[in-house]
Amino acid sequence: MASDTFAERHRLPLLSRIVVATLIALVVAVPLLGGPLAGSAAGLSPYMANIIGQIATFALLALALDLVWGYGGILSLGHGLFFAAGGYLIAMHMLKAGYVFGGVTPDLMTFMGWSELPVHWAFFESFPYALLMIVLVPGLLAFLYGYVSFRSRVSGVYFAIITQALTYVAMLMMFRNDTGFGGNNGMTGFTTLLGQDIGGHAMVVGLASASVLALLVAFIGCSALLRSPFGKLLVAIRDDEARLRFLGYDTLWPKLAAWCLSGILAAIAGALYVPQVGIINPRLLSPELSIEIAVWVALGGRGALSGAVIGAAIISALKFWLTGFVPEAWPFILALVVLVVVTLLPNGLLDLKPQVLWRGRRSGKRGMIE
Amino acid sequence: MKRRNFVKGLLTAGAGSVIASPWVARKAVAASNSGTVKLGCLFSSSGTMANIEGRLNYVAQMAAEEINAKGGVLGKTVEVVTTDPGSDWPLYAQLGRQLIQQEEVAATFGCWTSVSRKSVLPVVEQNDALLYYPLHFEGEENSKNVVYLNSPPSSSVLPAVEYLMGDEGGSARRFFMLGSDYVWPRTINQQLKGYWAEQGIEPEAWREEYVPVGHSNFQTLINEIREFANQPGGQPIVVLTVVGNSIPDFFREFINQGISAFDIPVLGLDAVEADFEGLDTAPLVGHLNCWAYLQNAAGPRNEEFLSNWSNYVAANDVPFSPNVAIDPMVSTYDGVHLWAMAAEKAGSFGVPDVRDASAGLTFACPSGYDISMTSENTYVKRGVFIGSLNENQGFDILWQSPDTPEPVPFSPYMNS
Amino acid sequence: MARRRVDFGHLLVSFILLCAASLPALAQDRGTIIAEICSGDFGAQQSALGQLAAAGMSEDSSDATWARRIVEAFEGRELRCGNGVALITTEDGAVQAASMEPSDVDAETLAPPSVNLRLRATAASAAAILRLFIEEDAANRLSAANYIDRRREAATAPILSAALERENDAEVRAVLSTLRASLLLEDPDPANRIAAVEAIAQDATLRNRTTIAEAMRDESDADVLAAGDAAIASIDRMLQVGKILSTLYSGASYASVLFLAALGLAIIFGLMGVINLAQGELIMVGAYAAWFTQEAIRTALPALLDYYLIIAIPISFMAAALVGLLMEVIVIRRLYDRPLMTLLATWAISLLLINTVRVTIGSQNLEFHQPYYVSGGFPLVGDFIMTSNRLFAIVVAICACVTVVVLLRRSLFGMNIRAVTQNRAMAGAAGIDTRRTDMMAFSLGSGLAGLAGLALSPLYNVNPGMGTGFIVDSFMVVVLGGVGSLIGAALAAIGIGQINVIVEPIYGAVAAKVFVLLLVIVFIQWRPEGLFAPKGRR
């Protein structure tokens, strides 16, 4: 498509390269400035490292959504479900490991009056098992829901609404204490991860570095994937699925594959996020939060992975900054930004440069993904 | 090409500086503030807890003003830094971290629900900071980084239930426990069941139901309560541990179904005067609550506190009623003063010093009691009031304790 | 409703009253009664209240009047005691309780005796009994009799007999004789006991069933036992009917809430394919408009305050419609061919609306005056009470449904909407101004949301965030019912409401909601177009 070659030839590779370069720089800088050089003038405080790590996980989450939305045309307003799934699974591991090896009884056992943890907590003290679950469980969830929906040709707006409903249902279920996930209290009181003290300086910097590294790897991997034939097929499905079907392609499996991959990436982001904030709670499953993820991607620019990463980074950074200074103003700023972007910049910030620099050439309709 | 690169570079630099700016700002701020000492507040101004938590920010500021008027603490002015966790429990932890690590507050005042306190607990413990917690709660906790300004169940829930089971209170023998689904109601109900088992009450005499936090549709549940009440076995009461906006929703449905407190009294353990601001309480007269302070507490200290609050609201355009004072407001007020006294006594703002200096402090609380702390733990000894709802959305004092009972952090009635 | 059980306190009071009943005047002099009431001893206070109630029977009518004064002062905390003195505070100063003579003792130095729930109940009952004897107006006596029916703490057979003797009004007599009959459950004469059982059974409630069942446990007379069994059986039947009605009513009321919230959305979504995530906030705007109307009426025309809900109907509608119109013109108009972007845009608008209201008015719950037609309820069958506020919502929902259907079917505007819904291009070619239709339809949908806010204000807390609870449910109703179909939306609302209400008592509110949502999701997979899909949809 014209927009594809246009974007690829002129914008994307360059922007992608910038993003990759920034990420590589961060992967090097964060452990250095946070570790050995922490005391120096340019040193990174644990607080800042923590913020950078959290922003990296949000960027990974946005990347996961952009994979299916920007390139697959599947809007999900319930990606918080996968994010939270990854988060809950790692939390279960930390609590179980703390209980089995450290003798720290999880709060939820105390106030529920349980003498042992429910059956679905079995084996979670093992880190490899937890990792396996983080890949399997969200993958399975994504597969189940994706398979049923794509087969019934549920798409577009309906699909989006139903993902909202799904994350809402999950939130309601997790709010109940009897499901054994800590209910409204969620899970907190993590002590160690992989034997290291969770609150310690080393762990904070380590997690932040790991988050940035994960983002880098995911970015490079997904970019490569999208440039491959599979990626081209995905984009073709986005642009005109019916035509593709008529041409004889089976559109179900590519969509499903991309959807499952997206779910797993989101779960990994969640698994990196939760140890950094120290708590997980069903609020993560709220429909509003899942919509915010779509906002990040829309703002940065759906058409490119780098757009999603930049969008998530900017909005999260703004949020952290502003909620510290002027918490009342933040919702207004966010709303206004979204409105401006949605009405004036259909492709998000990626539209900014062409409109500024190429006057007369309206890239409004063309290149717009819907 | 060059211009494009330039613009891109500018954008990336812009994003980078946005991320870095709090870091830079913090260093600048730290350099400039040496004449003030900061106190942080973690009370929500939005979300389901906003109506009740929001007031506590202002009371803390009022208390700080009083202290500053007398010369501050150790020569420094007290500055209160407020945040808005938005009734979002993880955000309490995040903002707590920000207050302690970024703003470097000397102490934090915060949290209402136990879940928010439990979110902040790891943060204060990891940073050896102090959280002054103004709400009555379920106990089962004794962290040296939290000053428990208000009562555990031994001095709040149990006296009220004992009263209701006694002759004067109506000889309650059947109990419908209705709570929001989180740690405080679940723990309270566990302790109550243990207590009743000891009193020889059979398990058939109670029922336990939980609703999500923020639940508003109580139609079916109140039908069930009526059914429960009409079964034989003795006087039924409702032990209500729902919180936030669920409280007025519950009572509104109670009114609509025409149930009076004579038939089924409700012990609203988290119900404060502010929860009834939107309701006509004439049909609700007689329901009970139990706190360490009630607005109708007698005495000149309370009158002074109430008039100070009223003036403060008028002078500072506070978006809350000048005529309503609730227990956590007074606890927060006490907490700020207790902190100031401890810091003066210790001669420093360091957390271990303040904590050690707290032992043996007493303060003249507006409730009329002299509250105090001991060296044994970080609990505050307070008085107990049992209140009865009246027509004017206030609580009349049905009973109050003769002195300040010893708080019991860990209940003997918890099983397991 | 009968007494739940016979307890010691009540026995004591009855005993004293039986003794008292044999005397024509007050059993004890006024001073002793006052002393007992002031004593702070629970048993003594109960007995004093009983005697005060019995004062109604006294031949000296001034006794009854005095007794009523004391009881009301006790209830209203105007009675103050201490140092051997008892006063009643009035507007003109204090009077002595026993003699009603003015007193110059400072009332502030004395305290009211403590009034706990049991005493309060007894006092209320005693006050009603005294009203029965004193009031001239039959209507007042009738209301007193009905009150005593619910609150029997101070009522005994001798008192009621005395009242019956003096009563002329037929209605009041009817209530009193039934009441007296039901008090005779303990009477030595079996015939009286049977009469009591039958009198109680006339009011088929679970409480009465329990009363009869407990009385039958100690019963030995075969006839009485048979009467008891028959009474219990008939009560059980009525209770069953009541339970079914109650479930249906709860389901209907929940359905009406869902329908009202989803109605506007059905039109907007159906017509324009616009996903309006700000729908909940439009509901909020309507509720706030109702509140402003209430406040305006309260200051300008306080006499009409009870009717503010009615007066606010057009106001809530217009306010929300206006906000919707602004939304459409400023933002949504540019995004019509991009449904996913409208979703984000409306979400942003909802954020703006919530926070604007929060910052300007505040996040506290608004206080709504509850006029008589939305407070209380009508006890119907068994234990089923039809609460008025939900009835109001049901009525508004039905009216709104009918109005909108008529509007769509019979008006030009409605025809335009239907045409544009079915085939936008052809409608435009046929000369319909699609832009204008969109604008008007969006306003209509928003206005209906405002109406929903008004109808829901007696039911839910009104605060800036109230709308967020309705979004997911509204969308489920619209999607299940079939986009663009009003009948579909109505049926979907009824279905969802009923299923929810049926599951709730079994598994809890959350499980019910989860179950219903999953059911809808599965249904959509199987039949994506919903229940009723108008032709021409995808």
Side-chain angles (χ1 to χ4, degrees):
Chain A
M1 244 186 82
S3 64
D4 246 2
T5 45
F6 167 87
E8 283 207 47
R9 246 191 290 124
H10 293 277
R11 289 204 309 252
L12 286 183
L14 201 48
L15 198 54
S16 297
R17 270 187 247 144
I18 290 185
V19 169
V20 170
T22 319
L23 286 178
I24 293 181
L26 277 175
V27 169
V28 170
V30 166
L32 263 183
L33 292 179
L37 294 179
S40 72
L44 209 54
S45 71
Y47 181 71
M48 278 313 299
N50 186 288
I51 298 275
I52 292 179
Q54 288 189 38
I55 295 182
T57 60
F58 291 145
L60 181 57
L61 179 58
L63 188 104
L65 181 62
D66 197 26
L67 184 65
V68 284
W69 186 19
Y71 291 89
I74 309 166
L75 173 60
S76 156
L77 291 179
H79 250 54
L81 179 60
F82 303 119
F83 188 69
Y88 266 104
L89 290 165
I90 197 77
M92 283 166 75
H93 162 71
M94 288 192 285
L95 279 186
K96 187 87 189 289
Y99 179 51
V100 168
F101 304 131
V104 178
T105 317
D107 261 337
L108 62 94
M109 282 175 66
T110 319
F111 69 77
M112 290 298 289
W114 289 338
S115 52
E116 52 179 45
L117 286 165
V119 66
H120 47 259
W121 283 71
F123 308 121
F124 263 96
E125 62 272 20
S126 140
F127 186 68
Y129 180 78
L131 272 186
L132 183 67
M133 285 291 111
I134 289 174
V135 169
L136 272 187
V137 170
L140 201 63
L141 271 174
F143 181 83
L144 274 174
Y145 180 61
Y147 183 74
V148 173
S149 303
F150 298 149
R151 254 192 57 136
S152 324
R153 311 265 175 94
V154 174
S155 64
V157 155
Y158 285 87
F159 188 83
I161 291 178
I162 290 178
T163 53
Q164 274 266 286
L166 271 180
T167 190
Y168 184 66
V169 163
M171 182 178 85
L172 288 179
M173 278 171 43
M174 292 307 233
F175 266 130
R176 293 290 306 180
N177 271 297
D178 1 44
T179 43
F181 291 100
N184 197 312
N185 278 47
M187 303 186 198
T188 182
F190 309 130
T191 44
T192 66
L193 179 61
L194 292 175
Q196 291 275 0
D197 171 30
I198 259 271
H201 191 116
M203 180 52 93
V204 169
V205 174
L207 281 171
S209 317
S211 308
V212 180
L213 186 62
L215 179 61
L216 178 65
V217 167
F219 188 86
I220 296 180
C222 287
S223 301
L225 183 69
L226 288 169
R227 275 196 294 276
S228 73
F230 173 80
K232 297 260 184 343
L233 186 58
L234 200 61
V235 171
I237 294 177
R238 173 198 79 194
D239 287 336
D240 201 331
E241 187 173 352
R243 185 184 298 173
L244 219 56
R245 268 195 235 119
F246 280 131
L247 286 175
Y249 284 91
D250 179 0
T251 57
L252 176 63
W253 296 101
K255 276 167 83 170
L256 205 51
W259 177 248
C260 290
L261 177 62
S262 170
I264 294 174
L265 282 176
I268 293 176
L272 285 165
Y273 173 74
V274 165
Q276 298 189 66
V277 287
I279 177 175
I280 183 163
N281 163 275
R283 277 312 163 82
L284 226 53
L285 289 160
S286 76
E288 294 85 46
L289 241 56
S290 288
I291 296 182
E292 267 197 56
I293 306 172
V295 166
W296 299 336
V297 176
L299 174 75
R302 244 171 315 143
L305 287 182
S306 36
V309 170
I310 292 176
I314 289 185
I315 297 195
S316 309
L318 261 178
K319 183 175 182 180
F320 277 124
W321 186 45
L322 288 175
T323 48
F325 282 57
V326 278
E328 303 88 40
W330 168 244
F332 290 102
I333 295 177
L334 178 63
L336 285 170
V337 161
V338 171
L339 281 175
V340 160
V341 165
V342 154
T343 47
L344 299 178
L345 305 171
N347 275 344
L349 285 183
L350 291 177
D351 260 355
L352 201 51
K353 291 158 283 186
Q355 280 187 354
V356 162
L357 298 170
W358 275 281
R359 259 174 285 150
R361 183 127 36 128
R362 299 174 40 78
S363 63
K365 281 281 181 182
R366 198 160 49 118
M368 197 170 56
I369 311 141
E370 206 23 67
Chain B
M1 289 289 282
K2 289 206 183 127
R3 209 162 48 159
R4 196 192 329 145
N5 285 347
F6 173 69
V7 172
K8 280 190 215 170
L10 206 59
L11 273 175
T12 319
S17 62
V18 160
I19 298 178
S21 58
W23 177 31
V24 169
R26 176 175 70 97
K27 304 228 160 168
V29 158
S32 68
N33 273 344
S34 51
T36 60
V37 61
K38 290 198 209 162
L39 294 178
C41 276
L42 285 174
F43 297 118
S44 294
S45 314
S46 57
T48 186
M49 306 304 293
N51 188 33
I52 39 183
E53 269 188 46
R55 304 165 199 250
L56 305 184
N57 283 319
Y58 295 99
V59 175
Q61 284 166 344
M62 182 177 98
E65 257 181 39
E66 276 180 25
I67 295 174
N68 289 335
K70 299 192 189 136
V73 183
L74 298 175
K76 302 211 176 178
T77 340
V78 178
E79 184 193 327
V80 173
V81 179
T82 56
T83 60
D84 179 12
S87 308
D88 181 358
W89 323 134
L91 201 47
Y92 282 82
Q94 177 70 27
L95 289 170
R97 209 175 287 126
Q98 187 169 318
L99 285 172
I100 295 170
Q101 292 173 348
Q102 282 286 89
E103 301 285 339
E104 292 175 341
V105 295
T108 317
F109 294 80
C111 304
W112 180 296
T113 58
S114 289
V115 56
S116 57
R117 186 191 77 250
K118 289 210 181 272
S119 312
V120 177
L121 188 60
V123 174
V124 288
E125 284 187 339
Q126 280 161 12
N127 293 283
D128 199 21
L130 264 187
L131 171 71
Y132 282 78
Y133 176 64
L135 261 294
H136 67 185
F137 70 120
E138 73 280 4
E140 308 304 306
E141 198 181 288
N142 200 359
S143 168
K144 64 177 175 55
N145 293 98
V146 181
V147 175
Y148 302 94
L149 293 166
N150 212 319
S151 327
S154 64
S155 3
S156 57
V157 178
L158 287 177
V161 171
E162 274 172 25
Y163 175 83
L164 281 167
M165 290 175 71
D167 221 25
E168 225 187 283
S171 316
R173 289 289 174 273
R174 302 184 72 236
F175 309 93
F176 194 108
M177 295 176 274
L178 178 57
S180 296
D181 196 353
Y182 74 105
V183 60
W184 178 64
R186 291 233 176 220
T187 316
I188 295 286
N189 290 340
Q190 258 197 61
Q191 293 178 14
L192 283 176
K193 287 185 292 190
Y195 172 72
W196 289 324
E198 216 177 84
Q199 302 288 314
I201 306 249
E202 297 291 324
E204 294 79 46
W206 69 67
R207 212 172 122 179
E208 207 178 342
E209 293 288 341
Y210 293 98
V211 292
V213 171
H215 187 78
S216 52
N217 185 356
F218 287 97
Q219 193 180 15
T220 313
L221 274 166
I222 291 184
N223 279 332
E224 288 176 43
I225 290 177
R226 271 197 299 140
E227 209 182 306
F228 177 81
N230 287 330
Q231 286 158 6
Q235 170 72 38
I237 65 168
V238 174
V239 179
L240 189 71
T241 41
V242 298
V243 298
N245 279 335
S246 297
I247 298 179
D249 285 329
F250 175 85
F251 281 108
R252 189 178 297 121
E253 190 63 33
F254 227 61
I255 297 175
N256 282 324
Q257 297 204 17
I259 313 174
S260 85
F262 307 148
D263 300 319
I264 311 176
V266 174
L267 175 62
L269 286 172
D270 211 46
V272 283
E273 292 84 344
D275 285 313
F276 296 95
E277 272 172 348
L279 292 176
D280 172 19
T281 48
L284 292 174
V285 166
H287 292 302
L288 300 106
N289 70 358
C290 182
W291 290 95
Y293 165 85
L294 289 176
Q295 189 172 338
N296 283 327
R301 300 210 286 240
N302 193 21
E303 283 167 24
E304 198 188 322
F305 175 78
L306 290 172
S307 85
N308 284 347
W309 169 247
S310 188
N311 295 336
Y312 185 83
V313 167
N316 294 283
D317 228 357
V318 173
F320 290 104
S321 166
N323 303 319
V324 173
I326 59 181
D327 172 304
M329 279 167 63
V330 169
S331 301
T332 310
Y333 175 83
D334 292 341
V336 177
H337 281 282
L338 280 173
W339 170 83
M341 286 165 62
E344 284 280 1
K345 182 173 160 193
S348 112
F349 294 119
V351 167
D353 302 322
V354 168
R355 179 168 48 230
D356 291 333
S358 299
L361 285 179
T362 62
F363 178 69
C365 176
S367 65
Y369 292 95
D370 284 332
I371 63 177
S372 60
M373 291 181 70
T374 64
S375 56
E376 206 179 303
N377 52 34
T378 43
Y379 278 71
V380 174
K381 290 172 54 164
R382 323 186 68 96
V384 185
F385 291 85
I386 297 181
S388 167
L389 189 57
N390 62 30
E391 301 84 21
N392 302 316
Q393 293 129 1
F395 284 88
D396 298 326
I397 297 175
L398 209 51
W399 175 87
Q400 63 185 100
S401 60
D403 56 16
T404 56
E406 200 75 39
V408 176
F410 292 96
S411 167
Y413 298 113
M414 285 290 284
N415 43 2
S416 95
Chain C
M1 294 169 204
R3 299 187 294 273
R4 284 159 246 112
R5 59 193 157 89
V6 179
D7 65 323
F8 172 68
H10 202 109
L11 272 175
L12 180 65
V13 172
S14 312
F15 177 68
I16 291 177
L17 284 175
L18 278 170
C19 300
S22 52
L23 298 170
L26 285 176
Q28 299 176 337
D29 65 23
R30 299 184 178 188
T32 321
I33 294 180
I34 297 287
E36 281 185 343
I37 247 195
C38 282
S39 66
D41 175 273
F42 175 61
Q45 286 174 306
Q46 280 270 55
S47 117
L49 282 172
Q51 291 177 57
L52 285 167
M57 297 190 300
S58 163
E59 289 177 1
D60 181 358
S61 64
S62 70
D63 278 342
T65 321
W66 173 82
R68 182 181 177 181
R69 195 74 178 17
I70 299 293
V71 171
E72 286 174 355
F74 179 70
E75 277 186 298
R77 323 253 299 168
E78 291 155 8
L79 178 68
R80 288 168 187 262
C81 318
N83 308 328
V85 178
L87 300 176
I88 295 179
T89 57
T90 68
E91 289 154 2
D92 312 311
V95 297
Q96 288 192 28
S99 58
M100 294 295 155
E101 301 292 311
S103 161
D104 39 3
V105 177
D106 185 8
E108 296 302 310
T109 60
L110 308 175
S114 62
V115 185
N116 65 36
L117 279 174
R118 297 287 293 285
L119 288 176
R120 222 190 265 276
T122 313
S125 179
I129 292 176
L130 289 166
R131 282 204 303 278
L132 193 60
F133 283 100
I134 294 174
E135 287 289 335
E136 306 263 322
D137 188 357
N140 292 343
R141 291 203 302 279
L142 183 60
S143 87
N146 285 328
Y147 189 82
I148 300 171
D149 191 25
R150 290 197 338 260
R151 295 248 72 88
R152 300 182 183 189
E153 277 80 0
T156 65
I159 291 181
L160 289 172
S161 300
L164 258 174
E165 266 176 64
R166 303 183 196 189
E167 186 56 59
N168 305 323
D169 184 272
E171 266 190 280
V172 184
R173 285 185 68 89
V175 176
L176 288 179
S177 45
T178 317
L179 196 50
R180 182 183 61 170
S182 64
L183 285 175
L184 290 173
L185 261 183
E186 317 282 317
D187 198 80
D189 182 359
N192 281 347
R193 291 206 295 279
I194 293 181
V197 164
E198 286 168 1
I200 294 176
Q202 278 172 27
D203 189 14
T205 63
L206 185 53
R207 178 176 297 183
N208 286 350
R209 186 197 190 282
T210 309
T211 310
I212 296 179
E214 282 188 330
M216 291 301 112
R217 259 190 280 155
D218 307 317
E219 186 56 59
S220 47
D221 185 295
D223 290 329
V224 182
L225 278 171
D229 286 337
I232 289 179
S234 93
I235 291 183
D236 277 340
R237 274 195 306 274
M238 297 307 277
L239 283 178
Q240 194 60 4
V241 171
K243 233 187 160 90
I244 295 176
L245 282 179
S246 174
T247 310
L248 283 175
Y249 183 71
S250 300
S253 98
Y254 188 40
S256 67
V257 167
L258 286 174
F259 181 70
L260 278 170
L263 182 57
L265 198 66
I267 295 178
I268 294 175
F269 194 15
L271 175 68
M272 295 169 274
V274 167
I275 309 155
N276 185 11
L277 284 183
Q279 189 75 3
E281 279 56 54
L282 290 168
I283 295 177
M284 187 249 304
V285 165
Y288 271 75
W291 184 75
F292 278 115
T293 313
Q294 172 194 261
E295 293 305 296
I297 294 182
R298 200 196 286 269
T299 30
L301 299 157
L304 286 178
L305 186 58
D306 262 355
Y307 300 98
Y308 82 90
L309 273 178
I310 316 287
I311 298 176
I313 288 178
I315 300 181
S316 290
F317 184 91
M318 298 305 320
L322 196 63
V323 172
L325 187 65
L326 285 173
M327 272 172 61
E328 206 272 344
V329 164
I330 299 178
V331 176
I332 301 184
R333 174 170 295 211
R334 300 161 203 264
L335 302 168
Y336 269 126
D337 41 358
R338 303 158 58 198
L340 303 182
M341 288 293 107
T342 47
L343 198 149
L344 290 183
T346 52
W347 175 78
I349 293 174
S350 86
L351 211 57
L352 265 178
L353 284 172
I354 293 179
N355 283 283
T356 310
V357 171
R358 190 168 66 85
V359 164
T360 48
I361 304 177
S363 51
Q364 73 276 16
N365 296 329
L366 292 182
E367 180 167 350
F368 278 88
H369 168 68
Q370 306 277 12
Y372 62 89
Y373 49 90
V374 290
S375 46
F378 311 97
L380 284 184
V381 178
D383 273 327
F384 168 48
I385 297 181
M386 185 183 265
T387 48
S388 301
N389 54 2
R390 292 178 191 272
L391 192 60
F392 182 74
I394 293 178
V395 166
V396 171
I398 294 177
C399 291
C401 185
V402 165
T403 313
V404 171
V405 166
V406 162
L407 186 72
L408 284 183
R409 293 268 153 101
R410 300 248 181 259
S411 75
L412 186 61
F413 173 46
M415 195 175 70
N416 287 350
I417 291 184
R418 278 185 290 135
V420 176
T421 305
Q422 288 174 14
N423 194 328
R424 182 177 283 261
M426 275 317 293
I432 297 177
D433 183 348
T434 54
R435 298 290 320 105
R436 197 146 176 276
T437 309
D438 284 341
M439 207 166 74
M440 301 307 291
F442 200 90
S443 307
L444 174 66
S446 311
L448 287 168
L451 205 60
L454 175 126
L456 298 176
S457 61
L459 293 173
Y460 291 96
N461 278 325
V462 173
N463 53 52
M466 69 180 284
T468 48
F470 295 110
I471 291 290
V472 173
D473 287 324
S474 313
F475 275 110
M476 287 294 105
V477 166
V478 171
V479 163
L480 177 64
V483 174
S485 162
L486 280 189
I487 307 297
L491 284 175
I494 292 175
I496 292 181
Q498 280 301 129
I499 297 179
N500 202 306
V501 160
I502 290 174
V503 176
E504 191 178 334
I506 310 175
Y507 294 114
V510 171
K513 227 178 160 93
V514 166
F515 179 68
V516 166
L517 280 175
L518 288 176
L519 209 61
V520 172
I521 292 174
V522 164
F523 185 85
I524 293 298
Q525 311 289 356
W526 171 61
R527 194 183 154 87
E529 66 271 18
L531 282 172
F532 296 94
K535 296 205 179 72
R537 292 275 77 189
R538 55 193 123 120

